[in-house]
């Protein structure tokens, strides 16, 4: 662990557990194209290994549903990561996903509610530093927005 002294700039490479905290809602309507969330993104270091933990509060309705994934720098991997969520129908679902870019569709038959989503995984960064970001969109294009809510968090704990 590096020694951080008073007055030193806190570069991401000095921090063991960078965390992103979403302070404002972000809504997206009429789009199924995954895009990085403006707040749930963190810098990552080449050659580092992180444990990823995310809590994503989101709202959607049955007209648009919701989908998400992760984007990272070239060469980054996250195999067998997991996610748990609840649909607007009240069903609790979990799954394991094969790669960093696996897209997870969350669909419901009815209703509009603010729902929780938790994701966990081991993120391995290759030889290129960059940014890890939650990417998300509507699963079906609709004028009714899908929204990632304030209070959502993304945390990386550097373990190597």
């Amino acid at each position: 662990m590096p020694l951080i002294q008073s007055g030193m700039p806190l570069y991401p490479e000095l921090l063991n557990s960078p965390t992103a905290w979403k302070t404002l809602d972000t809504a997206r309507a009429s789009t199924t194209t995954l895009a990085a969330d403006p707040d749930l993104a963190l810098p990552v270091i080449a050659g580092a290994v992180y444990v990823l933990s995310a809590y994503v509060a989101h709202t959607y309705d049955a007209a648009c549903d919701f989908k998400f994934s992760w984007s990272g720098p070239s060469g980054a991997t996250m195999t067998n990561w997991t996610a748990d969520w609840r649909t607007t129908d009240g069903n609790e679902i979990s799954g394991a996903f094969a790669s960093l870019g696996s897209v997870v569709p969350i669909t419901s038959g009815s209703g509009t509610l603010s729902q929780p989503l938790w994701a966990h995984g081991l993120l391995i960064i290759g030889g290129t530093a960059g940014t890890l970001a939650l990417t998300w969109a509507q699963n079906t294009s609709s004028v009714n927005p899908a929204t990632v809510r304030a209070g959502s968090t993304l945390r990386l704990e550097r373990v190597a």
Side-chain angles (χ1 to χ4, degrees), residues 7-28:
M8 287 177 65
L10 292 178
Y11 297 113
E13 56 270 15
L14 297 177
L15 302 175
N16 194 44
S17 300
T19 303
W21 172 260
K22 191 162 188 62
T23 58
L24 298 172
D25 291 354
T26 300
R28 294 183 179 153

PDB file of all heavy atoms in Angstrom, residues 7-28:
ATOM      1  N   GLY A   7      -1.600  16.724   1.117  1.00  0.00           N
ATOM      2  CA  GLY A   7      -1.310  17.585  -0.015  1.00  0.00           C
ATOM      3  C   GLY A   7      -1.038  16.836  -1.308  1.00  0.00           C
ATOM      4  O   GLY A   7      -0.959  17.447  -2.369  1.00  0.00           O
ATOM      5  N   MET A   8      -0.867  15.504  -1.238  1.00  0.00           N
ATOM      6  CA  MET A   8      -0.630  14.728  -2.456  1.00  0.00           C
ATOM      7  C   MET A   8      -1.927  14.591  -3.242  1.00  0.00           C
ATOM      8  O   MET A   8      -2.986  14.413  -2.656  1.00  0.00           O
ATOM      9  CB  MET A   8      -0.126  13.313  -2.119  1.00  0.00           C
ATOM     10  CG  MET A   8       1.291  13.238  -1.635  1.00  0.00           C
ATOM     11  SD  MET A   8       1.782  11.547  -1.190  1.00  0.00           S
ATOM     12  CE  MET A   8       1.702  10.737  -2.766  1.00  0.00           C
ATOM     13  N   PRO A   9      -1.862  14.688  -4.581  1.00  0.00           N
ATOM     14  CA  PRO A   9      -3.066  14.400  -5.366  1.00  0.00           C
ATOM     15  C   PRO A   9      -3.407  12.920  -5.265  1.00  0.00           C
ATOM     16  O   PRO A   9      -2.511  12.076  -5.214  1.00  0.00           O
ATOM     17  CB  PRO A   9      -2.682  14.792  -6.791  1.00  0.00           C
ATOM     18  CG  PRO A   9      -1.196  14.788  -6.817  1.00  0.00           C
ATOM     19  CD  PRO A   9      -0.719  15.042  -5.406  1.00  0.00           C
ATOM     20  N   LEU A  10      -4.686  12.622  -5.194  1.00  0.00           N
ATOM     21  CA  LEU A  10      -5.114  11.227  -5.074  1.00  0.00           C
ATOM     22  C   LEU A  10      -5.379  10.645  -6.448  1.00  0.00           C
ATOM     23  O   LEU A  10      -6.500  10.637  -6.945  1.00  0.00           O
ATOM     24  CB  LEU A  10      -6.357  11.122  -4.187  1.00  0.00           C
ATOM     25  CG  LEU A  10      -6.129  11.439  -2.714  1.00  0.00           C
ATOM     26  CD1 LEU A  10      -7.430  11.344  -1.948  1.00  0.00           C
ATOM     27  CD2 LEU A  10      -5.105  10.493  -2.122  1.00  0.00           C
ATOM     28  N   TYR A  11      -4.335  10.169  -7.076  1.00  0.00           N
ATOM     29  CA  TYR A  11      -4.470   9.499  -8.360  1.00  0.00           C
ATOM     30  C   TYR A  11      -5.102   8.125  -8.149  1.00  0.00           C
ATOM     31  O   TYR A  11      -4.879   7.492  -7.118  1.00  0.00           O
ATOM     32  CB  TYR A  11      -3.112   9.350  -9.043  1.00  0.00           C
ATOM     33  CG  TYR A  11      -2.470  10.672  -9.384  1.00  0.00           C
ATOM     34  CD1 TYR A  11      -1.319  11.087  -8.757  1.00  0.00           C
ATOM     35  CD2 TYR A  11      -3.057  11.505 -10.337  1.00  0.00           C
ATOM     36  CE1 TYR A  11      -0.737  12.299  -9.066  1.00  0.00           C
ATOM     37  CE2 TYR A  11      -2.488  12.719 -10.661  1.00  0.00           C
ATOM     38  CZ  TYR A  11      -1.330  13.114 -10.021  1.00  0.00           C
ATOM     39  OH  TYR A  11      -0.767  14.320 -10.332  1.00  0.00           O
ATOM     40  N   PRO A  12      -5.879   7.633  -9.118  1.00  0.00           N
ATOM     41  CA  PRO A  12      -6.527   6.332  -8.944  1.00  0.00           C
ATOM     42  C   PRO A  12      -5.560   5.218  -8.583  1.00  0.00           C
ATOM     43  O   PRO A  12      -5.891   4.332  -7.817  1.00  0.00           O
ATOM     44  CB  PRO A  12      -7.176   6.074 -10.306  1.00  0.00           C
ATOM     45  CG  PRO A  12      -7.344   7.410 -10.915  1.00  0.00           C
ATOM     46  CD  PRO A  12      -6.212   8.250 -10.387  1.00  0.00           C
ATOM     47  N   GLU A  13      -4.333   5.269  -9.113  1.00  0.00           N
ATOM     48  CA  GLU A  13      -3.393   4.194  -8.830  1.00  0.00           C
ATOM     49  C   GLU A  13      -2.938   4.179  -7.369  1.00  0.00           C
ATOM     50  O   GLU A  13      -2.351   3.215  -6.906  1.00  0.00           O
ATOM     51  CB  GLU A  13      -2.180   4.254  -9.772  1.00  0.00           C
ATOM     52  CG  GLU A  13      -1.436   5.543  -9.760  1.00  0.00           C
ATOM     53  CD  GLU A  13      -1.955   6.550 -10.797  1.00  0.00           C
ATOM     54  OE1 GLU A  13      -3.042   6.378 -11.330  1.00  0.00           O
ATOM     55  OE2 GLU A  13      -1.235   7.521 -11.046  1.00  0.00           O
ATOM     56  N   LEU A  14      -3.232   5.245  -6.617  1.00  0.00           N
ATOM     57  CA  LEU A  14      -2.894   5.269  -5.198  1.00  0.00           C
ATOM     58  C   LEU A  14      -4.010   4.701  -4.335  1.00  0.00           C
ATOM     59  O   LEU A  14      -3.793   4.424  -3.161  1.00  0.00           O
ATOM     60  CB  LEU A  14      -2.597   6.711  -4.754  1.00  0.00           C
ATOM     61  CG  LEU A  14      -1.395   7.394  -5.409  1.00  0.00           C
ATOM     62  CD1 LEU A  14      -1.283   8.823  -4.923  1.00  0.00           C
ATOM     63  CD2 LEU A  14      -0.121   6.624  -5.105  1.00  0.00           C
ATOM     64  N   LEU A  15      -5.177   4.563  -4.886  1.00  0.00           N
ATOM     65  CA  LEU A  15      -6.325   4.129  -4.101  1.00  0.00           C
ATOM     66  C   LEU A  15      -6.563   2.636  -4.277  1.00  0.00           C
ATOM     67  O   LEU A  15      -6.547   2.118  -5.381  1.00  0.00           O
ATOM     68  CB  LEU A  15      -7.571   4.908  -4.523  1.00  0.00           C
ATOM     69  CG  LEU A  15      -7.451   6.427  -4.397  1.00  0.00           C
ATOM     70  CD1 LEU A  15      -8.693   7.087  -4.947  1.00  0.00           C
ATOM     71  CD2 LEU A  15      -7.217   6.836  -2.960  1.00  0.00           C
ATOM     72  N   ASN A  16      -6.826   1.951  -3.182  1.00  0.00           N
ATOM     73  CA  ASN A  16      -7.061   0.512  -3.237  1.00  0.00           C
ATOM     74  C   ASN A  16      -8.504   0.182  -3.606  1.00  0.00           C
ATOM     75  O   ASN A  16      -8.760  -0.835  -4.211  1.00  0.00           O
ATOM     76  CB  ASN A  16      -6.707  -0.129  -1.894  1.00  0.00           C
ATOM     77  CG  ASN A  16      -6.613  -1.622  -1.995  1.00  0.00           C
ATOM     78  OD1 ASN A  16      -6.028  -2.130  -2.936  1.00  0.00           O
ATOM     79  ND2 ASN A  16      -7.182  -2.324  -1.036  1.00  0.00           N
ATOM     80  N   SER A  17      -9.450   1.028  -3.240  1.00  0.00           N
ATOM     81  CA  SER A  17     -10.863   0.722  -3.455  1.00  0.00           C
ATOM     82  C   SER A  17     -11.613   1.926  -4.019  1.00  0.00           C
ATOM     83  O   SER A  17     -12.421   2.546  -3.334  1.00  0.00           O
ATOM     84  CB  SER A  17     -11.510   0.282  -2.147  1.00  0.00           C
ATOM     85  OG  SER A  17     -10.877  -0.863  -1.649  1.00  0.00           O
ATOM     86  N   PRO A  18     -11.358   2.271  -5.284  1.00  0.00           N
ATOM     87  CA  PRO A  18     -12.102   3.400  -5.853  1.00  0.00           C
ATOM     88  C   PRO A  18     -13.586   3.079  -5.914  1.00  0.00           C
ATOM     89  O   PRO A  18     -13.988   1.939  -6.168  1.00  0.00           O
ATOM     90  CB  PRO A  18     -11.494   3.568  -7.247  1.00  0.00           C
ATOM     91  CG  PRO A  18     -10.815   2.276  -7.547  1.00  0.00           C
ATOM     92  CD  PRO A  18     -10.444   1.667  -6.235  1.00  0.00           C
ATOM     93  N   THR A  19     -14.413   4.082  -5.658  1.00  0.00           N
ATOM     94  CA  THR A  19     -15.861   3.918  -5.631  1.00  0.00           C
ATOM     95  C   THR A  19     -16.523   5.055  -6.394  1.00  0.00           C
ATOM     96  O   THR A  19     -16.124   6.209  -6.265  1.00  0.00           O
ATOM     97  CB  THR A  19     -16.377   3.913  -4.173  1.00  0.00           C
ATOM     98  OG1 THR A  19     -15.718   2.863  -3.459  1.00  0.00           O
ATOM     99  CG2 THR A  19     -17.873   3.713  -4.105  1.00  0.00           C
ATOM    100  N   ALA A  20     -17.522   4.707  -7.189  1.00  0.00           N
ATOM    101  CA  ALA A  20     -18.332   5.718  -7.880  1.00  0.00           C
ATOM    102  C   ALA A  20     -19.707   5.727  -7.233  1.00  0.00           C
ATOM    103  O   ALA A  20     -20.294   4.670  -6.967  1.00  0.00           O
ATOM    104  CB  ALA A  20     -18.449   5.377  -9.365  1.00  0.00           C
ATOM    105  N   TRP A  21     -20.229   6.915  -6.991  1.00  0.00           N
ATOM    106  CA  TRP A  21     -21.522   7.113  -6.339  1.00  0.00           C
ATOM    107  C   TRP A  21     -22.370   7.984  -7.246  1.00  0.00           C
ATOM    108  O   TRP A  21     -21.954   9.072  -7.636  1.00  0.00           O
ATOM    109  CB  TRP A  21     -21.299   7.788  -4.994  1.00  0.00           C
ATOM    110  CG  TRP A  21     -22.521   8.238  -4.277  1.00  0.00           C
ATOM    111  CD1 TRP A  21     -23.020   9.513  -4.223  1.00  0.00           C
ATOM    112  CD2 TRP A  21     -23.404   7.454  -3.492  1.00  0.00           C
ATOM    113  NE1 TRP A  21     -24.149   9.555  -3.467  1.00  0.00           N
ATOM    114  CE2 TRP A  21     -24.419   8.295  -2.997  1.00  0.00           C
ATOM    115  CE3 TRP A  21     -23.448   6.094  -3.157  1.00  0.00           C
ATOM    116  CZ2 TRP A  21     -25.453   7.836  -2.189  1.00  0.00           C
ATOM    117  CZ3 TRP A  21     -24.479   5.657  -2.351  1.00  0.00           C
ATOM    118  CH2 TRP A  21     -25.458   6.514  -1.878  1.00  0.00           C
ATOM    119  N   LYS A  22     -23.548   7.527  -7.592  1.00  0.00           N
ATOM    120  CA  LYS A  22     -24.428   8.257  -8.501  1.00  0.00           C
ATOM    121  C   LYS A  22     -25.276   9.243  -7.704  1.00  0.00           C
ATOM    122  O   LYS A  22     -26.044   8.840  -6.836  1.00  0.00           O
ATOM    123  CB  LYS A  22     -25.302   7.267  -9.273  1.00  0.00           C
ATOM    124  CG  LYS A  22     -26.055   7.895 -10.417  1.00  0.00           C
ATOM    125  CD  LYS A  22     -26.526   6.801 -11.363  1.00  0.00           C
ATOM    126  CE  LYS A  22     -27.119   7.357 -12.610  1.00  0.00           C
ATOM    127  NZ  LYS A  22     -26.203   8.134 -13.428  1.00  0.00           N
ATOM    128  N   THR A  23     -25.152  10.534  -8.000  1.00  0.00           N
ATOM    129  CA  THR A  23     -25.868  11.556  -7.235  1.00  0.00           C
ATOM    130  C   THR A  23     -27.161  12.024  -7.900  1.00  0.00           C
ATOM    131  O   THR A  23     -28.007  12.603  -7.241  1.00  0.00           O
ATOM    132  CB  THR A  23     -24.970  12.785  -6.988  1.00  0.00           C
ATOM    133  OG1 THR A  23     -24.538  13.302  -8.242  1.00  0.00           O
ATOM    134  CG2 THR A  23     -23.763  12.396  -6.134  1.00  0.00           C
ATOM    135  N   LEU A  24     -27.299  11.796  -9.216  1.00  0.00           N
ATOM    136  CA  LEU A  24     -28.507  12.203  -9.941  1.00  0.00           C
ATOM    137  C   LEU A  24     -28.997  11.049 -10.813  1.00  0.00           C
ATOM    138  O   LEU A  24     -28.202  10.265 -11.323  1.00  0.00           O
ATOM    139  CB  LEU A  24     -28.223  13.411 -10.843  1.00  0.00           C
ATOM    140  CG  LEU A  24     -27.776  14.704 -10.163  1.00  0.00           C
ATOM    141  CD1 LEU A  24     -27.343  15.718 -11.194  1.00  0.00           C
ATOM    142  CD2 LEU A  24     -28.899  15.255  -9.301  1.00  0.00           C
ATOM    143  N   ASP A  25     -30.308  10.974 -10.997  1.00  0.00           N
ATOM    144  CA  ASP A  25     -30.882   9.984 -11.910  1.00  0.00           C
ATOM    145  C   ASP A  25     -30.417  10.252 -13.342  1.00  0.00           C
ATOM    146  O   ASP A  25     -30.212  11.408 -13.726  1.00  0.00           O
ATOM    147  CB  ASP A  25     -32.410  10.058 -11.917  1.00  0.00           C
ATOM    148  CG  ASP A  25     -33.049   9.601 -10.626  1.00  0.00           C
ATOM    149  OD1 ASP A  25     -32.339   9.116  -9.726  1.00  0.00           O
ATOM    150  OD2 ASP A  25     -34.283   9.722 -10.521  1.00  0.00           O
ATOM    151  N   THR A  26     -30.279   9.186 -14.135  1.00  0.00           N
ATOM    152  CA  THR A  26     -30.044   9.292 -15.573  1.00  0.00           C
ATOM    153  C   THR A  26     -31.129   8.492 -16.265  1.00  0.00           C
ATOM    154  O   THR A  26     -31.283   7.300 -16.003  1.00  0.00           O
ATOM    155  CB  THR A  26     -28.664   8.733 -15.966  1.00  0.00           C
ATOM    156  OG1 THR A  26     -27.646   9.460 -15.281  1.00  0.00           O
ATOM    157  CG2 THR A  26     -28.435   8.839 -17.469  1.00  0.00           C
ATOM    158  N   ALA A  27     -31.899   9.152 -17.141  1.00  0.00           N
ATOM    159  CA  ALA A  27     -32.983   8.490 -17.873  1.00  0.00           C
ATOM    160  C   ALA A  27     -32.608   8.394 -19.349  1.00  0.00           C
ATOM    161  O   ALA A  27     -31.991   9.303 -19.906  1.00  0.00           O
ATOM    162  CB  ALA A  27     -34.275   9.271 -17.712  1.00  0.00           C
ATOM    163  N   ARG A  28     -33.019   7.285 -19.958  1.00  0.00           N
ATOM    164  CA  ARG A  28     -32.819   7.099 -21.395  1.00  0.00           C
ATOM    165  C   ARG A  28     -34.110   6.565 -21.998  1.00  0.00           C
ATOM    166  O   ARG A  28     -34.673   5.587 -21.501  1.00  0.00           O
ATOM    167  CB  ARG A  28     -31.683   6.115 -21.665  1.00  0.00           C
ATOM    168  CG  ARG A  28     -30.345   6.661 -21.197  1.00  0.00           C
ATOM    169  CD  ARG A  28     -29.199   5.749 -21.525  1.00  0.00           C
ATOM    170  NE  ARG A  28     -27.965   6.387 -21.063  1.00  0.00           N
ATOM    171  CZ  ARG A  28     -26.889   5.745 -20.710  1.00  0.00           C
ATOM    172  NH1 ARG A  28     -26.857   4.425 -20.779  1.00  0.00           N
ATOM    173  NH2 ARG A  28     -25.823   6.384 -20.301  1.00  0.00           N
TER     174      ARG A  28
END
